[in-house]
Amino acid sequence: MTASSSPPTAVTEQARTLIEPELRTAVAGLDPHLGRAIGYHLGWCRPDGTPTRGGGGKAIRPALTLLAATSVGATADTALPGAAAVELVHNFTLIHDDMMDGDELRRRRPTVWKTFGAATAILAGDALQTLAFTTLARHDSPHAPRATRVLARSMTELVSGQTQDLAFVRRPWQGPGAVTIPEYRSMAAGKSGSLLGCAAELGAVLGGAPHRTAAAFGRAGRHFGLAFQCVDDIIGIWGDPKETGKPVLADIREGKKTLPVLAALAAPVPAAAELADLLTTPRADEAELRRAAALIEKAGGRRFAERESQHHLERGLACLAEADTGGTARDPLLALIDYLGRRTS
Amino acid sequence: MTASSSPPTAVTEQARTLIEPELRTAVAGLDPHLGRAIGYHLGWCRPDGTPTRGGGGKAIRPALTLLAATSVGATADTALPGAAAVELVHNFTLIHDDMMDGDELRRRRPTVWKTFGAATAILAGDALQTLAFTTLARHDSPHAPRATRVLARSMTELVSGQTQDLAFVRRPWQGPGAVTIPEYRSMAAGKSGSLLGCAAELGAVLGGAPHRTAAAFGRAGRHFGLAFQCVDDIIGIWGDPKETGKPVLADIREGKKTLPVLAALAAPVPAAAELADLLTTPRADEAELRRAAALIEKAGGRRFAERESQHHLERGLACLAEADTGGTARDPLLALIDYLGRRTS
């Protein structure tokens, strides 16, 4: 399963290599302490600033931006500011989300708030959001104003999606006030759909595609983002900590209302009722968390999320077919999309 | 002293009235919970969403933007997106700073993090930053790309300035590692100079001023921002809680390295040594805090900050004279600047 669990290396590695100078230029303009915290998060250095190698993210979003640009017949270079901007935004949300969720590990290392404290984590996220807009605005592409609008709109949705997600944690598992699957979908559209939609649309916009084509790329990216979130939910319960770099059963432990759990609770099977009892047990131990994961699977929650992911991948591909660009990036784009549905970390 | 302690009402009230629809449109696009937290902060509603009147900020920055536009011969309308953007950024920084500083009161009411919790405060700030860029990007002024670059640059400086300010709290009052006055000035340039500089420059840019004129407005605004920070430091120690809406002696209590304190400590007078002893006393009581304030005044710290403020107001006015726009807004602009140096809340 190595082939399906690693991102299509050539494409994401190329994206990471291409955007790194943009990211380093952006971060270099910040206060050194803030630059160190961000460099640590991005895998460039230790907390004390000593350079390190590796440990950054998978560069899926920038890869999508660059492939969208080449799909519409432009060079990857044209879309570099967009690719860097989505990566900066992605990392902004990771740093703030880790803090809000109280997550202590990210990419197998202590998170920024855990390492540098809450104030630095807040400021590092704030700075990354600013740098995303700075990076787009610095380049004088004639398409920069349109690109800025696309980025701004998607960030509004992103923040609203994260707000809904946090509100879900406080809501009950069952009865009045319980989170519904349509509510989950709306949250996921904001939290994950918007940024992958933005990544794809920015590539097309900066590549000079007409509005209709760029919008189709945006819709495709949103579906890929929703598929991505379904897979994330599956990994959040059944992922291997050695691969994910996060604690086992993390999402159940944190009481996250993810799709597999919501689908399992809604299923008309005895396992659903048993699961509901277990989830409302205060301070469940490790064995109970494992039992909950088994019940979610038994009640069909995992299969439901897998199907939903597959559905969004197909819808996304249909949007791309509709855009009908005849560009040169078809194969690597399909490989990236295939990976989104199959990844295990 | 009523005339000098209230902002020049006509100008700031007009600015507030003009930008409010822009702000409301921006906030309406957010998740309702987030919109309520921001509406509460802006004085539009109670925490439960019930509408209220008043309680928002003084609208100094948007007033400066609108006056800069009319100074360069444009209508105030031209600069509305810029005026709204700086007000959104200002409120983004207030919400995040209150949380990082642990401040519980703002404009006489509990702060956002205190009322809605840390996660909502983080997201509300994030959303306000996004909305600032959204507001600028939504309008199709031919000057929008330049305006976006001005805003992005100033936000980078702002976040770096706040990082320095927070780092100051952890540094000693005296000896190796103590904060110097040049370091304070660099921090204040980022934390306060950048946004008032941005406010003035955005008005000139959106008003269609040539680069040289807009840059002169930017420099003027930076000086006004530095003057503003000096006055803020004075109010932070000697301000009347009834006027400021914050606890008495707030900055000394929090160990803030503000200009009056740093200047007092650097003065070659016996009061400076006595002050140093007092500031390093762990858990000083109210009487000791009052004694510290008296010593800062005695060692010349307050006078130093007043002079520095005056110096920046004069430098700022010289920059405006250099811009030599011959526009129509001279009198209200001077009234606003005069207020910046004299305000008491």
Side-chain angles (χ1 to χ4, degrees):
Chain A
M1 289 295 285
T2 318
S4 62
S5 65
S6 310
T9 315
V11 167
T12 54
E13 272 308 306
Q14 190 194 20
R16 189 212 292 269
T17 307
L18 282 171
I19 62 169
E20 190 169 317
E22 295 270 343
L23 301 185
R24 288 198 182 259
T25 302
V27 174
L30 295 174
D31 169 88
H33 173 72
L34 218 49
R36 211 154 43 234
I38 292 173
Y40 166 77
H41 172 80
L42 294 173
W44 298 343
C45 63
R46 301 210 179 88
D48 66 0
T50 319
T52 49
R53 275 161 178 270
K58 289 186 284 281
I60 289 169
R61 291 158 194 81
L64 185 55
T65 305
L66 300 179
L67 289 171
T70 48
S71 295
V72 301
T75 62
D77 271 9
T78 332
L80 264 187
V86 293
E87 189 66 0
L88 289 163
V89 167
H90 174 55
N91 284 289
F92 140 57
T93 62
L94 292 181
I95 291 176
H96 278 191
D97 289 2
D98 281 343
M99 193 180 146
M100 291 183 272
D101 294 343
D103 286 339
E104 301 190 356
L105 279 180
R106 158 83 49 198
R107 298 165 189 161
R108 295 179 186 77
R109 299 183 310 159
T111 44
V112 172
W113 72 269
K114 193 76 190 160
T115 309
F116 293 90
T120 300
I122 294 175
L123 288 164
D126 292 349
L128 284 169
Q129 179 178 176
T130 299
L131 294 181
F133 284 104
T134 308
T135 300
L136 261 194
R138 199 172 47 229
H139 291 259
D140 23 72
S141 155
H143 309 296
R146 215 172 116 204
T148 303
R149 280 195 292 274
V150 168
L151 182 69
R153 192 192 59 214
S154 118
M155 307 246 321
T156 308
E157 294 174 36
L158 191 59
V159 174
S160 289
Q162 172 67 5
T163 307
Q164 288 174 274
D165 196 25
L166 280 173
F168 285 179
V169 175
R170 292 189 300 272
R171 285 169 60 183
W173 286 106
Q174 277 198 314
V179 179
T180 65
I181 291 178
E183 284 181 312
Y184 166 90
R185 287 179 177 137
S186 153
M187 175 283 291
K191 193 176 161 163
S192 296
S194 65
L195 192 54
L196 267 88
C198 175
E201 191 168 352
L202 276 186
V205 165
L206 292 171
H211 274 277
R212 243 190 93 188
T213 308
F217 270 87
R219 283 196 303 278
R222 282 173 180 273
H223 283 298
F224 299 145
L226 285 161
F228 185 93
Q229 184 60 51
C230 293
V231 177
D232 222 50
D233 287 355
I234 293 169
I235 296 171
I237 299 175
W238 295 281
D240 179 350
K242 282 202 285 295
E243 289 192 55
T244 61
K246 292 183 191 174
V248 71
L249 300 161
D251 283 358
I252 303 188
R253 200 183 302 273
E254 291 175 16
K256 286 213 166 172
K257 308 289 188 299
T258 64
L259 188 60
V261 192
L262 297 177
L265 286 171
V269 293
E274 202 182 326
L275 175 64
D277 285 347
L278 201 53
L279 290 172
T280 47
T281 305
R283 284 184 293 279
D285 62 22
E286 180 94 13
E288 283 165 323
L289 294 176
R290 287 192 185 281
R291 175 95 188 111
L295 285 168
I296 295 165
E297 188 147 10
K298 194 173 173 192
R302 182 173 185 158
R303 205 165 48 245
F304 188 97
E306 284 165 353
R307 277 192 200 142
E308 180 119 342
S309 165
Q310 195 54 40
H311 161 79
H312 283 299
L313 289 176
E314 283 160 16
R315 292 277 305 272
L317 288 169
C319 292
L320 286 185
E322 194 188 311
D324 188 26
T325 56
T328 58
R330 200 177 153 76
D331 287 351
L333 187 54
L334 292 182
L336 181 69
I337 293 159
D338 184 58
Y339 163 71
L340 290 182
R342 293 177 188 276
R343 69 203 174 86
T344 55
S345 72
Chain B
M1 291 294 285
T2 319
S4 63
S5 66
S6 309
T9 315
V11 167
T12 54
E13 273 309 305
Q14 191 194 19
R16 190 211 292 269
T17 308
L18 283 171
I19 63 168
E20 191 170 316
E22 294 269 344
L23 301 185
R24 289 200 182 258
T25 302
V27 175
L30 296 174
D31 169 88
H33 173 71
L34 217 49
R36 208 152 48 232
I38 292 173
Y40 166 78
H41 173 79
L42 293 173
W44 298 344
C45 64
R46 300 209 181 89
D48 65 1
T50 318
T52 50
R53 277 162 177 269
K58 290 185 284 279
I60 288 169
R61 291 158 195 80
L64 185 56
T65 305
L66 300 180
L67 289 171
T70 48
S71 294
V72 301
T75 62
D77 271 8
T78 331
L80 264 188
V86 294
E87 189 65 1
L88 290 163
V89 167
H90 174 56
N91 284 289
F92 139 56
T93 63
L94 292 181
I95 291 176
H96 278 191
D97 289 2
D98 281 344
M99 193 180 147
M100 290 184 271
D101 294 343
D103 286 340
E104 300 189 357
L105 280 179
R106 159 82 50 197
R107 299 167 189 159
R108 295 179 188 79
R109 299 183 308 159
T111 44
V112 173
W113 71 268
K114 193 76 191 160
T115 309
F116 294 88
T120 300
I122 294 176
L123 288 165
D126 291 349
L128 284 169
Q129 178 177 176
T130 298
L131 294 180
F133 283 104
T134 308
T135 300
L136 262 194
R138 199 171 48 229
H139 292 261
D140 24 70
S141 155
H143 310 296
R146 214 171 116 205
T148 303
R149 280 195 291 275
V150 168
L151 181 67
R153 192 191 58 213
S154 118
M155 306 247 321
T156 307
E157 294 175 35
L158 191 59
V159 175
S160 289
Q162 172 67 3
T163 306
Q164 289 174 275
D165 197 25
L166 279 173
F168 286 180
V169 175
R170 292 188 300 272
R171 285 169 60 183
W173 286 105
Q174 277 199 313
V179 179
T180 65
I181 291 178
E183 283 180 312
Y184 165 91
R185 287 179 177 136
S186 153
M187 175 282 292
K191 193 176 162 164
S192 296
S194 64
L195 192 54
L196 268 89
C198 175
E201 190 168 352
L202 276 186
V205 164
L206 292 170
H211 274 277
R212 245 191 90 190
T213 309
F217 270 87
R219 282 195 303 278
R222 281 173 181 271
H223 282 298
F224 299 145
L226 285 161
F228 185 93
Q229 184 60 50
C230 292
V231 177
D232 222 50
D233 287 356
I234 293 168
I235 295 171
I237 298 175
W238 295 282
D240 179 349
K242 281 203 286 295
E243 290 193 55
T244 62
K246 292 184 191 173
V248 71
L249 300 162
D251 282 358
I252 302 188
R253 200 183 301 273
E254 292 176 14
K256 287 214 166 172
K257 309 288 188 300
T258 64
L259 188 61
V261 192
L262 297 178
L265 286 171
V269 294
E274 204 182 324
L275 174 64
D277 285 347
L278 201 51
L279 290 172
T280 47
T281 305
R283 284 183 294 279
D285 63 21
E286 180 94 13
E288 283 166 322
L289 295 176
R290 289 193 183 280
R291 174 96 190 112
L295 286 168
I296 295 165
E297 187 145 13
K298 192 171 173 193
R302 182 173 185 159
R303 203 164 50 246
F304 188 97
E306 283 164 353
R307 276 192 200 143
E308 182 120 341
S309 165
Q310 196 53 39
H311 160 79
H312 283 298
L313 289 176
E314 284 161 15
R315 292 278 304 273
L317 289 169
C319 292
L320 286 185
E322 195 190 310
D324 188 27
T325 56
T328 57
R330 200 178 152 77
D331 287 352
L333 187 54
L334 292 182
L336 181 69
I337 293 159
D338 185 58
Y339 163 72
L340 289 183
R342 291 176 189 277
R343 71 203 173 85
T344 56
S345 72

